[in-house]
Amino acid sequence: MPERILLRCRDIPDLRSLATYLRHGGYESARKALTQHTPEELVEMVKASNLRGRGGAGFPTGMKWSFLPKQGNKPVYLAVNADESEPGTFKDREIMEDDPHQLLEGILISSFAIKCHRAYIYIRGEMLTGYERLCTAVKEAYDGGFFGKNVLGTGFELDVVVHRGAGAYICGEETGLIESLEGKRAYPRIKPPFPATHGLFGCPTIVNNVETLACVPHIVARGADWFRSIGPEKSPGPKLFCVSGHVAKPGVYELPMGTLLREIIYEHAGGIPNGRQLKGVIPGGASMPVFTPAEIDVPMDMDSVQKAGSFLGSAGIIVMDDSVCMVGAMLNLAHFFHHESCGQCTPCREGTGWVENVLHGLEEGHASPSDVDLLLNIAGNMMGNTICALADAAAMPVRAFVTKYRAEFEEHARLGYCPFRPRAAAAEPAHAHA
Amino acid sequence: MPTLEIDGRKVTVEDGHTVIQAADRAGIEIPHYCWHPGLSISGNCRMCLVEIEKSPKLQIACNTRAADGMVVHTTSEKTKIAQKAVLEFLLLNHPIDCPVCDQAGECKLQEYYMDYDLQKSRMPLDEKVHKGKAIPIGPHVVLDQERCILCARCTRFLDEVTHTSELGIYERGDHSRIELAHGKTLDNPYSMNVVDICPVGALTSRDFRFRARVWYLEREDSVCGACANGCNIEMYHRENRLFRFQPRANMDVNAYWMCDAGRVSIGSLQGEGRMFEVLVRGDEHFAPADWPSAIATVAERLQACGSGGVAVVVSAQATNEEIHLARRLGDALGATVAGISWSPPDAFHDDFLIKADKNPNTQGLVRQGVSTDPAAVDAILRAIDAGRVTGLVLLRTDLTRWVDEARARAALERVATLVVLDTDGRPEAEYANVVLPIATYAETEGTFTNHAGRVQRVRRAVSPPGQAQPGWHALGELVAAVTAGQPPASAAAVFDDLAATNAAFAGLDHERVGTLGAAASANSRASA
């Protein structure tokens, strides 16, 4: 078991309190950053570390920071994306609940680096415990002189606001999050302009994920070279993998970027229980294309997973054994995206519901064989044609499920019922289990 | 000034213009729903997706800035697939109730379906999402949530133009719906604009709906006469009836909008009070007459009053042409000419389009040197009281509202010869010796000068009722009768005479005023 960096909370009891955090070197990185470095040096350091966003898109963090206008009289904002809602993803939650100061220290250093004096933590509404612990930690940080008018006696000023979302997946899309923070309906914005120039309240804004910011203190403490040495150089660092589904030991695993998916499932998570076989695994949260058992020898880093035809996404690894009906699994995902589409763009608003309807028809036995291709066609018409990536997120799994498990979809259509579910009576196959 | 190529056509546009605007300039329509030139860019409908070379994905033309060397394809295979897909998505949950939908015939869903889609639905009918229908959301507008394509034009208009935000989008995904914000009704003075900008049948006008199928309607470019702003409009008409006014874009006057009061003023142009008979009073009662004999009677009686014995009162409801001829008549008779520009004292007005002056042509009076000072009419009434003025010509006026009613009635009673030219029967007509029914501004050619001095044309959309004649025609005949000259051939000819003799209108003619109007000359009031 390699050293835990992001999940030190597993090793240190009560790390969430400021006193404990300080006893274990807490805020030393921040002190170092604010007293020994200029903001420009910190941006360069994060660039050099090759840190890439942990929220899903994997965009280089330092590069994102460097898109901020070099000059201007508008304030710069940092919006922390703590709206963790991608199905199969539960890593940021552990950081916020058990090591909130790690995040706050990351926010402090990053704010100093991007010359931001007001940071907002947008936390998913359902995460009440995380919210309460963050609020406590933020108060501790103010009292300890890490936030406020004169941070660490350096004259740097930083206010941090914790804002609870009201429960919509789309609020995790960075411009939807910004709209929501502004008190509006979380309709993602058309780009350009991008948040780096026109973000929160029309001001330059950086939106970073919780885990991304939690990496920053460690980069400052140990250097960019150290960070880059963990895992593949282009996509390095310690990484939290969320393993759920049919594994013996589901949970969050901190492993080096690039750990093989097979190793994560079979070694760290204890393999498939009950003597069953692996049928499929989603590597990066509900929106990412599924892998078949033949595809799991893939290093879990951004570039390798992409090369293998999917995305690392939020590193939500959803494991499905051979008891799973892939039509039913896809229907479950489709129901989610239908429920969460904001409804702004036509293809997503209408397509997500249509996809669910067709899948429902297949699962309930009133579909035709042509519906299998219809699914691919609808998904194709949704892909790439909307303001934000939710339509892609809804369409990509459809393409992968239907393509990789086509026989199962066709079987549903041919049989007129779901072969994975017990049927009450052979005489009435179509609706017996409705 | 980037130059780009759209479907093989080169077009140069100003910096900051988008592809959809550039295409428009090149004469290429890129289909769109949510984009509207008078509103912010929303980019939600996805109908304007186009292929741009070197761009991996299709781009929305409404939010893509035109760039030098850009090559755009609006009819490529990729574009066509996307257009067809968007239409299929839009129609997926649409009720397809065109036979009972008031928008049919001017519905962008119908039009684009024919142009870009033409496929059968691939979703069973019984799976459609149902929402509210025929919901009255204000005094003028009805909402059908099922027909709505959620383009957010209405909400953007109410957020950005009227700043009243009565409507919002509620719920998510395919359950999203337009709805009134809690505790609000859509009753701002510009509410009916949402009906115009709604590209489908989701928002319809309570005033107009079910009154006519739009393909039976004809339209005429004109100007609204409900106030001094002079919003440019289209008058929709059929079988000599007006059915609705809609705004016509004019960036210098009303942009894309007009007020509700202007729209519903249509009723006052064809109301119960319209006069349609030429009437000449005999010993006691009115008797119907024909125009030539009525004109001859009027000319004879007015001439008999002698120089200085006649007064002419013209209201700001009259066209520039009518005012000009009223002045010509005054000149020929040696008469005093005075103006009236009456508005209700508490008339609604704002700093957007609606003016407190409810007359379309007060500036026409001013720029022809006709005083709208109440003292001018007062002097005439005193002259009538004193017996110095015995002949009075009233053109579209209501004296009883302009001055004290009892005083007005006393003067009207006393004056020996009263000639009333008007569209509607007002109190004055009771006292008239001759009543000459004339056309409303929807029934005549002519011009108004708006509050800012812009000369704009009104057009004859419908014919005047019965014997009624355009004002310029009636006055032209009268002037000809008293001067033994030739009556004018047209309103345009009258305007030419005005332009030739009045510096404020110099250099203008109907042709030049055109459909968008022209600024009257700055050196106003000067008059030959």
Side-chain angles (χ1 to χ4, degrees), chain A residues 91 107 152 209 212 391:
Chain A
K91 59 187 180 64
I107 290 171
L152 295 167
N209 168 261
T212 311

Side-chain angles (χ1 to χ4, degrees), chain B residues 446-496:
Chain B
T447 57
F448 288 144
T449 310
N450 84 347
H451 72 102
R454 189 180 190 83
V455 180
Q456 307 190 100
R457 283 180 78 177
V458 295
R459 307 300 304 267
R460 176 178 172 137
V462 291
S463 308
Q467 283 178 284
Q469 289 280 359
W472 66 266
H473 189 267
L475 284 161
E477 294 282 343
L478 195 49
V479 171
V482 297
T483 60
Q486 284 297 314
S490 64
V494 179
F495 190 90
D496 291 344

Side-chain angles (χ1 to χ4, degrees), chain A residues 61-384:
Chain A
T61 305
M63 194 191 288
K64 189 187 254 191
W65 291 0
S66 65
F67 289 157
L68 287 169
K70 298 287 172 275
Q71 266 141 5
N73 48 13
K74 287 185 173 177
V76 173
Y77 293 113
L78 173 65
V80 182
N81 192 342
D83 190 52
E84 182 173 60
S85 0
E86 179 75 12
T89 311
F90 36 85
K91 59 187 180 64
D92 298 340
R93 174 179 173 175
E94 184 161 349
I95 293 174
M96 291 186 286
E97 291 183 355
D98 292 335
D99 193 0
H101 285 289
Q102 180 181 213
L103 170 62
L104 299 186
E105 188 173 1
I107 290 171
L108 172 54
I109 299 168
S110 305
S111 296
F112 181 72
I114 62 173
K115 299 171 185 173
C116 152
H117 301 290
R118 196 172 179 84
Y120 292 87
I121 304 174
Y122 188 101
I123 183 168
R124 178 175 173 180
E126 289 91 333
M127 292 185 183
L128 186 58
T129 304
Y131 170 73
E132 287 170 350
R133 290 184 180 170
L134 266 181
C135 287
T136 305
V138 166
K139 185 172 183 309
E140 285 179 323
Y142 268 102
D143 293 345
F146 302 110
F147 294 161
K149 291 268 176 239
N150 184 14
V151 174
L152 295 167
T154 62
F156 180 67
E157 184 178 343
L158 177 65
D159 282 306
V160 176
V161 178
V162 186
H163 180 95
R164 285 181 76 197
Y169 174 68
I170 199 63
C171 293
E173 197 278 344
E174 66 173 1
T175 56
L177 183 149
I178 288 170
E179 288 282 302
S180 178
L181 258 184
E182 290 182 357
K184 300 175 192 155
R185 193 177 161 79
Y187 270 176
R189 293 180 181 171
I190 39 174
K191 284 141 276 201
F194 291 93
T197 56
H198 293 79
L200 186 60
F201 308 120
C203 298
T205 302
I206 293 296
V207 183
N208 281 144
N209 168 261
V210 169
E211 185 189 348
T212 311
L213 291 168
C215 288
V216 172
H218 305 291
I219 294 170
V220 172
R222 306 198 202 187
D225 293 342
W226 162 81
F227 191 85
R228 215 172 45 241
S229 72
I230 303 169
E233 191 176 354
K234 291 279 164 59
S235 168
K239 180 76 192 95
L240 301 183
F241 295 98
C242 319
V243 189
S244 64
H246 295 133
V247 287
K249 295 186 290 177
V252 181
Y253 292 88
E254 178 178 339
L255 297 164
M257 198 66 104
T259 306
L260 285 180
L261 179 56
R262 179 183 297 280
E263 181 190 326
I264 296 174
I265 296 170
Y266 286 98
E267 292 178 27
H268 301 288
I272 318 290
N274 305 322
R276 290 208 165 260
Q277 297 299 308
L278 178 68
K279 185 168 184 178
V281 52
I282 299 171
S287 11
M288 299 309 164
V290 64
F291 282 143
T292 64
E295 296 172 303
I296 64 169
D297 290 304
V298 56
M300 288 292 279
D301 63 81
M302 286 138 187
D303 299 326
S304 302
V305 181
Q306 188 170 356
K307 216 171 137 192
S310 187
F311 295 94
L312 184 65
S314 60
I317 299 168
I318 304 170
V319 180
M320 291 168 279
D321 73 15
D322 56 7
S323 69
V324 172
C325 164
M326 295 313 255
V327 176
M330 187 56 236
L331 173 59
N332 183 304
L333 297 176
H335 175 71
F336 174 79
F337 290 114
H338 178 202
H339 190 257
E340 295 298 340
S341 168
C342 80
Q344 186 180 200
C345 303
T346 307
C348 182
R349 177 180 70 238
E350 306 296 338
T352 49
W354 193 9
V355 164
E356 189 190 354
N357 275 356
V358 175
L359 285 163
H360 191 262
L362 280 165
E363 186 64 3
E364 296 301 326
H366 44 85
S368 76
S370 65
D371 281 352
V372 180
D373 282 324
L374 177 61
L375 281 172
L376 290 175
N377 185 251
I378 301 169
N381 285 341
M382 290 166 68
M383 283 284 294

